[in-house]
Every structure is written in C-alpha cells, then in structure tokens.
C-alpha cells in the first residue's frame, strides 16, 4: 500500500514571517533611495510640517524607507527613530541624513508589530510607507498605540485614483495573487478607509488631498524604464513574468499608456492623501 506524507499547513505566524520576508526582499530590489531622493522626498517635509513637529518631540517614522520624513523631523528638532522592515534602506538614509546635518536613530521594525511601549512618542508618522503593510487594521492600531494621548498621528499616502494608485492597478493583473487577508496599499489613500482605521483612535482627524509635481520624465517610456530599474514593487512584478515575453510587452504598453494619460508638457501630478489627528 502506498502512503503519502502531507506536509502540515503553515501556522499563521509562519505565514506572516514568510510574507514579511517577501516584502523586505521586494523593497531591497532596485534603488528605492533614488526614487525618494529624486522624486518623492519633498513629501516628507509636507507631512512633518502638517504634524507640527517641535524641538524635543519624540518622533517615530514608521516604514521610513531611507528617511525623507525622519530627516525632516530631525531637522525640526525632533528626537527621531526611523523604523523600517527593510534595513537595507538604512545605509543610503544615513548618508542622506549626514548630508543634511541630521541626527537620528535607525531601527528595523515591523509596522504591524512595533517594538515600542504604549504612548512612547509625541508624534507618530508615516510617509508612503505604512500603506504597504499588508494588514491595514494591525498597522493602524500600532500607529495609534505607540503615540501618547494628545500626541499627533500623521500619514501621507497615494490615492487609488491618482497616478501611483493607478500604476498599482495596472500592474495587478500581472502580479502574483496576494496572500489571504492582504489589502491593497492605495486604500490608505481613501479618506473613508483611513477614517475607518483611525477614527476611533484620533480626535480632530483631518484629511486633505494634494499633489506632487513630477517633472523628471520627458516621455512616458522614460517613466517606465526608470521604475523598472529602481522601484521594488515594479521590479518584482516584472520578475514574476520574466518568462512570459508577451506579458512583459503587454505590461510595458499598459504602463506607457498610463504615463501618457498623466503626462502634460513634461509634468505629472501624483495625488496623495494627507491625514492627521490627535491621539484620543
């Protein structure tokens, strides 16, 4: 009689570790710091200014990347920890901070399980970072948990309707299916969704849309090649279809068409949602 050994299903903890390892590896692809420094870095200043960081404030930047918001908060006088799941981003961030004369601490941490006590920070913020944590409720609860009562929580994320949100929608049919329970990052750019996540934690929650002016790409193809070379999520999707030339060509066309719709006289506007509130 033949017998078959069936491997046990992974536990929830094992599955989460595997998922987080994939996320860390994805953001280590390419050169995200280049994207931050050349394209989106100014948004860190927008968020820090909205949170009104003051000298002496204890600040946590969650999913900080190479520190566009953390560095601005340090320059405003904050005592800052820049935390991220992907420590490979810290070395360019440290060099960036040194160029600006900013002093801060760098720490590896999972946005869904922050290693800090309740109420440990005056300001907790995330700029284009926490949106990529797969379980939105867990991440939102952690943002609020580590902020002191009366302290500020602030997040800035791409909207679903804006250019980057539409880029993720364009890539989705070519990407591997997300694991059960994982939520799309651009939902963090929906005011209704963010109010549902943070509304019970924050008083005076305000949300406003803005746009980042991007004038780096003279033509749509230049955008596609830049993101294929530097942006981890885009690189990961292309790697997943590397053995399918027709799919690669189709995604090239789809992203080029998307960029064409948003590009006007060499300028693109990338919409974001900025949300702030006081910890209840």
């Amino acid at each position: 009689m033949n017998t078959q050994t069936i491997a046990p299903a992974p536990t929830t903890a094992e599955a989460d570790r595997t998922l987080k390892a994939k996320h860390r590896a994805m953001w280590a692809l390419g050169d995200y710091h280049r994207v931050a420094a050349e394209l989106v870095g100014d948004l860190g200043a927008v968020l820090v200014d909205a949170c009104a960081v003051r000298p002496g404030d204890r600040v946590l930047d969650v999913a900080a990347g190479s520190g566009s918001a953390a560095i601005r908060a340090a320059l405003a006088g904050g005592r800052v920890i820049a935390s991220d799941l992907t420590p490979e981003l810290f070395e360019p961030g440290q060099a960036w901070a040194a160029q600006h004369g900013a002093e801060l601490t760098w720490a590896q941490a999972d946005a869904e399980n922050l290693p800090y006590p309740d109420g440990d920070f005056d300001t907790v913020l995330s700029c284009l970072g926490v949106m990529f944590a797969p379980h939105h409720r867990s991440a939102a609860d952690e943002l609020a948990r580590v902020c002191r009562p009366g302290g500020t929580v602030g997040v800035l994320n791409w909207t679903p309707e804006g250019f980057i949100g539409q880029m993720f929608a364009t890539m989705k049919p070519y990407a591997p299916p997300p694991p059960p329970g994982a939520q799309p990052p651009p939902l963090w750019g929906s005011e209704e969704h963010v109010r549902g996540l943070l509304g019970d934690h924050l008083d005076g929650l305000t949300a406003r849309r803005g746009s980042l002016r991007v004038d780096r790409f003279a033509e749509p193809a230049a955008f596609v090649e830049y993101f294929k070379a530097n942006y981890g999520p885009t690189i990961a999707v292309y790697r997943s279809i590397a053995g399918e030339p027709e799919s690669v060509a189709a995604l090239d066309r789809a992203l080029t068409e998307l960029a064409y719709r948003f590009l006007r006289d060499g300028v693109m506007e990338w919409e974001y949602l900025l949300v702030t509130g006081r910890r209840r």
Side-chain angles (χ1 to χ4, degrees):
M1 180 176 65
N2 293 330
T3 60
Q4 183 179 11
T5 301
I6 300 175
T11 65
T12 300
E14 290 170 339
D16 188 65
R17 283 194 294 271
T18 299
L19 175 60
K20 298 301 172 59
K22 289 180 178 178
H23 272 241
R24 172 181 170 176
M26 177 183 72
W27 287 105
L29 295 172
D31 188 354
Y32 181 73
H33 175 65
R34 183 180 179 190
V35 177
E38 295 180 352
L39 299 181
V40 302
D42 288 347
L43 294 180
V46 172
L47 178 58
V48 170
D49 290 349
C51 291
V53 173
R54 298 167 298 182
D57 283 354
R58 184 161 164 80
V59 180
L60 177 66
D61 185 357
V62 177
S66 56
S68 62
I71 291 169
R72 174 72 183 206
L75 292 175
R79 294 175 293 145
V80 180
I81 296 177
S83 68
D84 200 280
L85 186 67
T86 305
E88 289 86 349
L89 299 174
F90 292 166
E91 185 175 349
Q94 290 164 348
W96 205 15
Q99 290 171 9
H100 287 85
E103 296 184 3
L104 59 152
T105 300
W106 301 82
Q108 184 177 9
D110 180 352
E112 298 179 4
N113 186 24
L114 294 169
Y116 304 108
D118 295 358
D120 202 28
F121 297 92
D122 300 297
T123 302
V124 180
L125 51 81
S126 183
C127 183
L128 310 177
V130 74
M131 67 184 293
F132 294 102
H135 307 110
H136 295 186
R137 168 56 62 191
S138 297
D141 289 348
E142 283 293 274
L143 290 176
R145 181 186 66 79
V146 299
C147 186
R148 67 166 176 81
T152 299
V153 175
V155 292
L156 187 154
N157 297 299
W158 303 121
T159 65
E161 304 85 1
F163 177 73
I164 298 297
Q166 288 298 297
M167 184 189 74
F168 277 97
T170 300
M171 295 192 300
K172 182 178 179 180
Y174 302 90
Q183 295 174 282
L187 279 178
W188 272 93
S190 161
E191 181 176 345
E192 180 180 5
H193 183 69
V194 179
R195 285 187 180 276
L197 294 173
L198 292 173
D200 290 341
H201 294 302
L202 305 181
D203 288 324
L205 189 152
T206 63
R208 66 173 177 85
R209 295 191 180 212
S211 64
L212 174 69
R213 186 179 189 272
V214 176
D215 59 4
R216 182 177 180 86
F217 308 113
E219 56 185 9
F223 157 77
V224 176
E225 293 307 312
Y226 184 96
F227 268 64
K228 287 173 69 174
N230 296 295
Y231 193 59
T234 305
I235 296 170
V237 171
Y238 272 97
R239 285 191 177 185
S240 74
I241 59 173
E244 307 168 24
E246 292 183 359
S247 295
V248 171
L251 182 53
D252 281 345
R253 288 193 299 271
L255 289 175
T256 300
E257 291 168 1
L258 175 68
Y260 178 80
R261 296 203 305 270
F262 279 81
L263 191 62
R264 297 288 182 273
D265 297 324
V267 176
M268 306 172 85
E269 298 288 341
W270 296 0
E271 187 181 60
Y272 61 82
L273 181 74
L274 171 64
V275 176
T276 60
R278 292 285 180 182
R279 180 69 169 98
R280 190 165 296 165

